[in-house]
């Protein structure tokens, strides 16, 4: 195989792999550090209209200045970008921890919300 062709095939494979990674939901990163948490079963049961949110280890706490509500519709700042929370991403059960959390993934390099649990805004 010609060296230039090999390089093009390798570059294409790298591009395809990185594109697939960016378009897929964020991989779980539960490394076991929350295994003994009394809230672990609750976190694992959380789901939105998009499906299961996963666990506390997969979500990120959002500071109060980084989210806002307007008549039941939410926006959250992820990686310096304001993202509208789709209604399907909203977790509707009571928030047992009181902190705002978001479970995110990326499409075309931009953050998207898979699950969002509003906090108390205190």
């Amino acid at each position: 195989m010609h060296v230039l062709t090999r390089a093009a095939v390798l570059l294409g494979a790298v591009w395809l792999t990185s594109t697939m990674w960016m378009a897929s939901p964020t991989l779980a990163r539960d490394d076991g550090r929350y295994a003994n948490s009394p809230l672990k079963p609750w976190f694992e049961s959380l789901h939105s209209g998009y499906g299961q949110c996963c666990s506390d280890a997969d979500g990120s706490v959002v500071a109060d200045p980084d989210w806002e509500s307007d008549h039941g519709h939410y926006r959250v700042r992820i990686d310096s970008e304001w993202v509208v929370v789709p209604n399907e991403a909203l977790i509707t059960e009571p928030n047992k921890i009181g902190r705002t959390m978001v479970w995110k993934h990326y499409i075309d390099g931009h953050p998207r919300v898979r699950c969002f649990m509003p906090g108390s805004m205190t």
Side-chain angles (χ1 to χ4, degrees):
M1 186 181 272
H2 189 267
V3 175
L4 188 55
T5 305
R6 269 192 192 155
V9 169
L10 181 59
L11 183 60
V14 169
W15 177 82
L16 180 61
T17 302
S18 64
T19 301
M20 287 173 34
W21 175 78
M22 287 173 32
S24 66
T26 305
L27 299 175
R29 59 177 199 259
D30 185 357
D31 58 9
R33 72 180 117 177
Y34 302 107
N36 297 321
S37 169
L39 290 178
K40 182 175 175 52
W42 176 73
F43 272 110
E44 290 178 343
S45 74
L46 294 176
H47 64 277
S48 71
Y50 293 130
Q52 187 176 8
C53 300
C54 294
S55 69
D56 179 28
D58 301 313
S60 301
V61 174
V62 180
D64 285 344
D66 291 330
W67 72 282
E68 58 190 26
S69 171
D70 182 26
H71 297 87
H73 298 281
Y74 299 93
R75 285 188 339 149
V76 62
R77 188 177 7 224
I78 302 173
D79 301 335
S80 301
E81 186 176 330
W82 281 101
V83 179
V84 173
V85 175
N87 291 335
E88 296 84 10
L90 189 61
I91 297 173
T92 57
E93 67 180 82
N95 184 336
K96 290 187 178 184
I97 61 167
R99 300 178 302 186
T100 302
M101 293 192 68
V102 66
W103 287 259
K104 61 187 177 183
H105 65 279
Y106 294 85
I107 297 176
D108 296 329
H110 295 283
R112 299 290 186 258
V113 177
R114 177 172 175 79
C115 298
F116 179 76
M117 182 170 54
S120 58
M121 287 189 95
T122 58

